[in-house]
Amino acid sequence: MPDHQPFKFYTERRLVALTGLRARNLEELLKEVEQVPGSSIFYHTHHQYLSQHFVKPRFYNEFAQWTGHAVQEWMLAEKLGAIDLLSFTSIRQLREAIRTTIATHLAQDDTRSREAPAGEDFHFCKSKSFVMPTGLVAHNLSDFLDKLPHVTNISLFFHFLEARLRLERKTNDFSQWLSKAGHPGLGATIEALDPYLMTLDELRNEIIRLGQAYIGD
Amino acid sequence: MAATLEDYRDVVGLDVIEELRIVAAHVKHRRLQNINSTSVGGGVAEILTRMVPLLRELGIEASWDVIRGDEAFFQVTKAFHNALHGRVEEITAQMLDHYRATTASNLAQLNLDGDVILVHDPQPAGLILRKREIGRHWIWRCHIDVSTPDPRVWNFLKPYIEEYDAAIFSTPGFAQHLSVPQYMVTPSIDPLSEKNKELEERFIEEVLLKYHLDPDRPLITQISRFDRLKDPLGVIAAYRIARKRYPCQLLLAGGGASDDPEGEIVLREVQEQAASDPDIHVLLLPPFSDLEINALVRASTIVMQKSIKEGFGLTVSEALWKKKPVIGGAVGGIRLQIIDGVTGFLVHSSEGAGQRALQLLADPDMARRMGEDGHQHVKQNFLLTRHVKDYVLVMMALEHPDEDVVHLE
């Protein structure tokens, strides 16, 4: 018997859009962070999770990366890098946290911040995403766990990170579906995972492991 | 004969080709008309030659037209090109008039029948004047480095560009203040072209023999025009640092520069510097030497691209694709291709380049690892198939101009 509505796996294709906005120093970064589209804030805090990394980057947050490498303000870089993305359920809140962190730093330090070296300005981008069904559908929990290994990283990214924060669904799509399908405990356990501390491959494996343990109980 | 999707499948994998088909299905049967200013020579023509057949195979009715212009017109657009790259050029009112007149005569001759009209670079940009009459979707694709354009030329072109539905640039650093959407599409290399395809060992050996290169000693290579912005003298200085510890050879190879008087001066300076050292090889290669360039890169131990300014610098991806570690100047698109310490090294000086060359010569395992990772990096990001997909996505974006997240069934 099906557990409720089936779960349809979606995927997305992303095109990088350029805003033409740039920052050469922290004052300019602050000014632009206040006004760029929300999709740009999401892009610079998230798209590194989709890139292939040969070495784990120090910061996935590109505001932090640039503040450290280009402007050499490492203390602020670490503070930006430590902003807990999982603690927000809207881009508005996330933008405010980034804004406050930079503004607080600038208020404490009366010297003007350094200019980034030539060619290392921060360029604000955003993504244009085309969301499409993958054709994969799960009708119940064990079917869901069977299908997960065939789900691509970008599909996982969409359902777990993008749905929660960019689309402001408050939680990830998996947890939401599991709760409605009569598995609120598993939904909550999966919601407690921090996807920002693992690769997407690790995230997939962890969800499968938790799901199998839940069925086994 | 043009390569087919089937041919690319063997290189990029079935999933990449399937992905292309899925995406292209959303714009199937649309007519995509490309317009540029030359059918042969230059990177744009090279890419279109390979890309148009692939788009057609995907069900998009791709075509390619070339505008006409006299010599004076191309002198004007060459001056535009240099000025957009930030060089000081004299631009007269007469030159601007000639650009307008040539645009008008092309508008009278060209059959603009695409559903989407993709105009490449500044030369044909003025064709947008027809949009008010015929509508359609228009895209301006800028292939050049406009990070610090001469404002006079940029301000002349900007009103044209703002009539387009979208503009495409190669890196975020080239983005401009424009009233129309801008997208980033990085350039690509074609893994099946003569410059990049796999070669037989025997052919590589023959090429080494032909150019008197020793196959048993390390070879440091830079493939580029003889242009100050490519810093060939800096490469010689770097080689001299490496040479103190390792009996290596240096190869500086590039095409001719008949339309570039400065190129001849730079070549002479390089030849003078090289004269006293039989292990420095300076090759002025004729056009259509792609197979030999391919062989020379494959025979190299380290490839350099020590540019001081660079639009994108696809020679870096070409070398990485052949699993060579690359030492490159930390400028322009080179920074997207070299992940510092992973696929090669980014440097700021000849001393830096020399030091990194020493490290690579001392540690062949590291050099091999970087080459492998470089190949993967190019496979993920800088192959023609990714480029085709991005153009298809831009076509889709035109049909959904107002949404950041577009839901499709």
Side-chain angles (χ1 to χ4, degrees):
Chain A
M1 202 179 85
D3 286 332
H4 190 65
Q5 292 287 319
F7 187 88
K8 288 185 188 168
F9 288 94
Y10 283 80
T11 186
E12 65 173 302
R13 273 84 189 184
R14 295 157 68 87
L15 183 63
V16 180
L18 305 167
T19 66
L21 301 169
R22 62 174 72 183
R24 276 165 297 193
N25 53 46
L26 292 175
E27 287 81 4
E28 291 181 4
L29 184 73
L30 176 61
K31 181 175 143 250
E32 300 300 350
V33 159
E34 286 170 350
Q35 62 183 27
V36 290
S39 51
S40 182
I41 301 286
F42 182 83
Y43 179 88
H44 291 294
T45 48
H46 282 78
H47 93 109
Q48 287 289 335
Y49 291 97
L50 277 174
S51 305
Q52 180 194 16
H53 294 290
F54 298 96
V55 180
K56 260 194 182 168
R58 182 165 177 186
F59 304 117
Y60 282 85
N61 178 327
E62 291 185 332
F63 299 118
Q65 211 174 68
W66 181 80
T67 300
H69 289 285
V71 192
Q72 299 284 307
E73 291 279 353
W74 287 99
M75 190 191 286
L76 175 60
E78 288 177 1
K79 287 180 180 168
L80 288 168
I83 289 176
D84 177 10
L85 299 176
L86 207 55
S87 65
F88 307 108
T89 52
S90 76
I91 298 288
R92 190 181 49 75
Q93 297 165 343
L94 172 58
R95 183 202 300 269
E96 183 53 24
I98 296 168
R99 195 199 69 76
T100 311
T101 307
I102 302 171
T104 308
H105 179 85
L106 286 175
Q108 282 169 354
D109 189 355
D110 27 287
T111 57
R112 273 178 59 84
S113 77
R114 288 182 199 88
E115 296 277 313
E120 292 189 40
D121 296 354
F122 189 93
H123 298 280
F124 287 85
C125 304
K126 58 181 188 168
S127 81
K128 181 142 183 140
S129 303
F130 300 91
V131 179
M132 309 172 190
T134 59
L136 283 177
V137 178
H139 296 276
N140 54 46
L141 175 56
S142 71
D143 194 18
F144 176 79
L145 297 175
D146 286 346
K147 296 278 165 54
L148 263 184
H150 306 288
V151 169
T152 59
N153 281 355
I154 188 146
S155 175
L156 208 58
F157 178 89
F158 172 75
H159 287 297
F160 218 88
L161 289 92
E162 191 142 38
R164 197 183 71 81
L165 198 53
R166 189 179 184 189
L167 306 181
E168 301 195 353
R169 291 178 188 164
K170 312 295 180 204
T171 179
N172 67 79
D173 289 344
F174 298 159
S175 293
Q176 196 171 45
W177 178 75
L178 286 166
S179 300
K180 285 184 184 164
H183 309 289
L186 179 59
T189 311
I190 288 173
E191 193 177 351
L193 290 174
D194 187 343
Y196 299 108
L197 289 179
M198 49 186 108
T199 64
L200 290 164
D201 287 322
E202 288 164 352
L203 176 65
R204 180 190 300 99
N205 291 339
E206 193 55 16
I207 296 170
I208 294 171
R209 191 187 66 76
L210 290 170
Q212 283 167 345
Y214 173 85
I215 289 174
D217 283 348
Chain B
M1 208 177 77
T4 63
L5 287 171
E6 187 80 9
D7 298 325
Y8 286 94
R9 193 188 65 180
D10 296 338
V11 182
V12 300
L14 178 62
D15 52 337
V16 171
I17 302 299
E18 284 302 312
E19 165 92 0
L20 265 181
R21 290 189 202 278
I22 291 169
V23 175
H26 290 273
V27 284
K28 217 169 182 171
H29 307 309
R30 305 281 197 292
R31 290 168 299 175
L32 174 68
Q33 183 175 19
N34 289 276
I35 302 176
N36 79 327
S37 62
T38 173
S39 57
V40 283
V44 179
E46 209 174 288
I47 286 174
L48 287 176
T49 305
R50 315 290 292 203
M51 195 181 267
V52 167
L54 290 185
L55 287 163
R56 283 190 189 146
E57 206 183 328
L58 288 166
I60 295 162
E61 293 178 23
S63 62
W64 175 13
D65 290 287
V66 177
I67 57 159
R68 291 177 188 192
D70 58 11
E71 206 185 319
F73 172 74
F74 288 110
Q75 274 169 6
V76 172
T77 56
K78 172 86 181 175
F80 279 11
H81 183 93
N82 289 339
L84 291 172
H85 268 110
R87 263 173 60 165
V88 179
E89 286 282 337
E90 196 188 348
I91 308 285
T92 63
Q94 201 185 1
M95 291 163 81
L96 301 182
D97 283 342
H98 195 60
Y99 179 87
R100 292 189 192 99
T102 308
T103 298
S105 87
N106 275 294
L107 279 173
Q109 290 169 36
L110 270 174
N111 180 19
L112 295 167
D113 60 357
D115 299 310
V116 178
I117 300 171
L118 179 51
V119 174
H120 298 263
D121 281 338
Q123 298 93 331
L127 297 176
I128 189 68
L129 294 173
R130 181 58 54 81
K131 186 187 172 195
R132 292 201 174 161
E133 190 185 317
I134 64 169
R136 323 282 176 77
H137 283 134
W138 292 69
I139 308 167
W140 185 61
R141 195 331 174 197
C142 179
H143 294 270
I144 56 185
D145 176 350
V146 286
S147 51
T148 50
D150 178 330
R152 286 170 312 159
V153 173
W154 181 251
N155 289 334
F156 172 73
L157 291 171
K158 192 175 172 184
Y160 290 116
I161 295 161
E162 292 197 319
E163 291 289 318
Y164 283 80
D165 295 291
I168 302 177
F169 296 95
S170 295
T171 77
F174 301 165
Q176 301 291 327
H177 277 288
L178 289 174
S179 58
V180 297
Q182 304 174 62
Y183 298 107
M184 179 174 85
V185 176
T186 51
S188 62
I189 64 164
D190 180 353
L192 299 179
S193 68
E194 297 210 322
K195 219 190 278 180
N196 297 309
K197 68 180 188 183
E198 295 282 342
L199 296 176
E200 285 187 15
E201 267 318 304
R202 185 195 262 175
F203 176 74
I204 298 171
E205 286 162 15
E206 283 168 12
V207 173
L208 287 179
L209 200 64
K210 176 177 170 187
Y211 292 113
H212 312 292
L213 291 158
D214 179 355
D216 297 323
R217 283 188 294 146
L219 176 62
I220 300 173
T221 298
Q222 175 159 303
I223 307 283
S224 70
R225 283 181 290 114
F226 293 95
D227 181 330
R228 286 193 207 290
L229 294 179
K230 311 288 181 191
D231 199 18
L233 297 179
V235 175
I236 294 179
Y239 152 80
R240 289 199 167 122
I241 291 170
R243 170 81 198 191
K244 281 189 202 163
R245 298 282 181 279
Y246 292 92
C248 51
Q249 313 163 81
L250 174 66
L251 169 65
L252 292 164
S258 57
D259 64 338
D260 181 5
E262 196 183 67
E264 285 171 33
I265 299 169
V266 176
L267 175 62
R268 221 171 306 132
E269 286 172 5
V270 169
Q271 284 167 332
E272 277 165 23
Q273 288 270 329
S276 59
D277 184 342
D279 281 327
I280 302 180
H281 301 258
V282 181
L283 292 184
L284 192 60
L285 294 167
F288 308 108
S289 299
D290 286 357
L291 273 177
E292 290 195 345
I293 290 173
N294 184 345
L296 291 167
V297 172
R298 287 184 189 275
S300 302
T301 318
I302 298 168
V303 171
M304 289 210 187
Q305 188 57 56
K306 218 201 105 11
S307 304
I308 292 162
K309 194 164 167 72
E310 189 64 71
F312 200 79
L314 278 175
T315 47
V316 172
S317 279
E318 283 163 359
L320 294 174
W321 180 245
K322 299 173 185 74
K323 303 187 179 176
K324 304 298 167 185
V326 182
I327 299 172
V331 293
I334 294 178
R335 298 147 77 95
L336 298 181
Q337 298 167 83
I338 297 180
I339 305 170
D340 195 23
V342 177
T343 68
F345 292 111
L346 290 171
V347 297
H348 303 266
S349 64
S350 306
E351 289 80 359
Q355 198 59 33
R356 290 306 198 182
L358 273 174
Q359 289 177 343
L360 285 166
L361 292 172
D363 191 345
D365 275 347
M366 176 175 72
R368 188 189 45 73
R369 261 197 326 273
M370 285 186 158
E372 295 283 346
D373 287 348
H375 179 82
Q376 282 306 323
H377 184 48
V378 173
K379 190 172 176 180
Q380 295 278 337
N381 299 296
F382 300 112
L383 293 186
L384 183 66
T385 36
R386 193 274 310 148
H387 203 164
V388 170
K389 187 178 83 174
D390 282 351
Y391 276 166
V392 172
L393 290 177
V394 174
M395 290 174 75
M396 289 162 63
L398 295 175
E399 298 182 10
H400 303 273
D402 301 323
E403 306 139 80
D404 277 339
V405 181
V406 181
H407 292 271
L408 301 165
E409 284 301 325

